[in-house]
Amino acid sequence: MPRISVSHLMKMKVEHQKITCITAYDASFATIFDQAGIQVLLVGDSLGMVLQGHDSTLPVTIDDIKYHTGCVANSAKNVLIMADLPFMSYANTDQAYANAAILMQAGAHMVKLEGGDWLASTIQGLVTRGVPVCGHLGLTPQSVNVLGGYKVQGRQEEQADKLLNDALLLEKSGIQLLVLECVPVVLAKRITHALTIPVIGIGAGAETDGQILVMHDAFGISAGFCPKFSKNFLLETGDIRGAVALYKKQVESGEFPATEHCFY
Ligand code: KIV
């Protein structure tokens, strides 16, 4: 079976098949997710919180993401591997190019970066140089100190319009995937329909083209608390492989996320 590619994900959007994504940071879980038929693994900078115990993603370095991307790439043979460019590693285009090269050479097939219009030329430059890019809009955890906390974004009309315009601009600049985090269901639906590329939601309702969860949240093992938008799939299954299969099945059927996981 050929590895999942961006064109495969695009075809899934066109055919209204839901895309299932999850974070992964090591070879063992990557194998389990790969064998379960998950389409995208994200080596997320959430590792700063769930692996390293920080209270934000800001301390995560490019070396951290490089190391964990290598671990995932060593074992995941079928999925598309996406790696986060961490905080301040793409503050200018030269930094973005150098750091994207590090992650692609570690085994990533796509990099993800957080932010709107200010990233347009960086995205164009990366794509032109052979680096597929995923955008990340809505609640962008690297900007937690600017946002004033981990809050739902886009509830006001003006903010919602800005997010839609940013999404359109990022698509025009060359992103091939968009992660939309913690926005009201109606806005997520509007953005998903406005874009031709797949939109992957987390706390964005069931109308997006797919879902992503931090694996520790999906298994109810995050230190601290389980976010409203997540679900402990281990509770019903008692087994990791079963939990992953249930997550994928419920994303595909539209059962997850349910009303109680959504923002309005
Ligand atoms: O770092 C991460 O895990 C993420 C997800 C929350 C989408 O960006």
Side-chain angles (χ1 to χ4, degrees):
M1 200 176 70
R3 189 184 281 279
I4 301 287
S5 62
V6 283
S7 36
H8 184 104
L9 300 179
M10 190 68 97
K11 186 163 173 277
M12 288 182 74
K13 172 164 179 139
V14 171
E15 293 176 356
H16 304 290
Q17 291 172 40
K18 295 283 185 186
I19 301 164
T20 313
C21 320
I22 194 162
T23 65
Y25 318 98
D26 70 40
S28 301
F29 278 108
T31 301
I32 291 174
F33 300 149
D34 199 46
Q35 290 173 351
I38 297 287
Q39 280 89 26
V40 179
L41 294 186
L42 168 65
V43 184
D45 58 0
S46 50
L47 70 83
M49 299 171 87
V50 297
L51 299 190
Q52 298 174 335
H54 296 297
D55 64 359
S56 79
T57 59
L58 273 61
V60 177
T61 65
I62 193 72
D63 285 342
D64 293 333
I65 303 281
K66 176 188 173 186
Y67 172 77
H68 290 282
T69 299
C71 296
V72 168
N74 282 342
S75 73
K77 303 298 173 212
N78 304 304
V79 288
L80 185 144
I81 302 170
M82 174 156 89
D84 260 338
L85 279 167
F87 179 64
M88 278 292 167
S89 69
Y90 50 100
N92 61 51
T93 46
D94 288 341
Q95 268 186 321
Y97 299 161
N99 288 318
I102 290 172
L103 299 185
M104 297 296 282
Q105 288 172 342
H109 306 113
M110 174 177 256
V111 300
K112 177 165 81 59
L113 31 74
E114 299 181 7
D117 49 9
W118 69 276
L119 284 170
S121 61
T122 301
I123 291 165
Q124 270 172 19
L126 284 168
V127 175
T128 308
R129 286 159 180 79
V131 179
V133 180
C134 174
H136 185 154
L137 289 172
L139 172 53
T140 45
Q142 291 173 15
S143 301
V144 61
N145 294 302
V146 175
L147 299 175
Y150 297 100
K151 297 174 182 166
V152 179
Q153 302 295 307
R155 277 195 163 130
Q156 289 82 29
E157 200 180 322
E158 200 182 323
Q159 210 189 23
D161 289 344
K162 163 97 174 97
L163 281 173
L164 174 62
N165 289 334
D166 278 348
L168 289 167
L169 179 63
L170 295 192
E171 176 175 69
K172 205 166 151 214
S173 306
I175 60 165
Q176 288 169 294
L177 202 62
L178 176 69
V179 166
L180 203 49
E181 179 165 353
C182 290
V183 300
V185 174
V186 181
L187 175 60
K189 184 177 176 181
R190 210 170 134 208
I191 293 176
T192 303
H193 288 296
L195 298 195
T196 59
I197 57 161
V199 175
I200 308 298
I202 173 166
E207 303 277 351
T208 53
D209 301 306
Q211 299 294 325
I212 186 161
L213 283 178
V214 171
M215 57 164 277
H216 291 64
D217 292 341
F219 299 143
I221 52 170
S222 292
F225 80 117
C226 181
K228 171 184 162 70
F229 55 76
S230 191
K231 173 172 170 176
N232 179 356
F233 289 91
L234 256 184
L235 274 183
E236 281 171 60
T237 54
D239 157 72
I240 298 225
R241 285 180 179 78
V244 180
L246 184 64
Y247 167 50
K248 184 166 182 282
K249 184 167 160 252
Q250 293 199 349
V251 168
E252 286 169 356
S253 67
E255 209 177 318
F256 177 79
T259 316
E260 72 259 31
H261 308 117
C262 297
F263 301 107
Y264 296 93

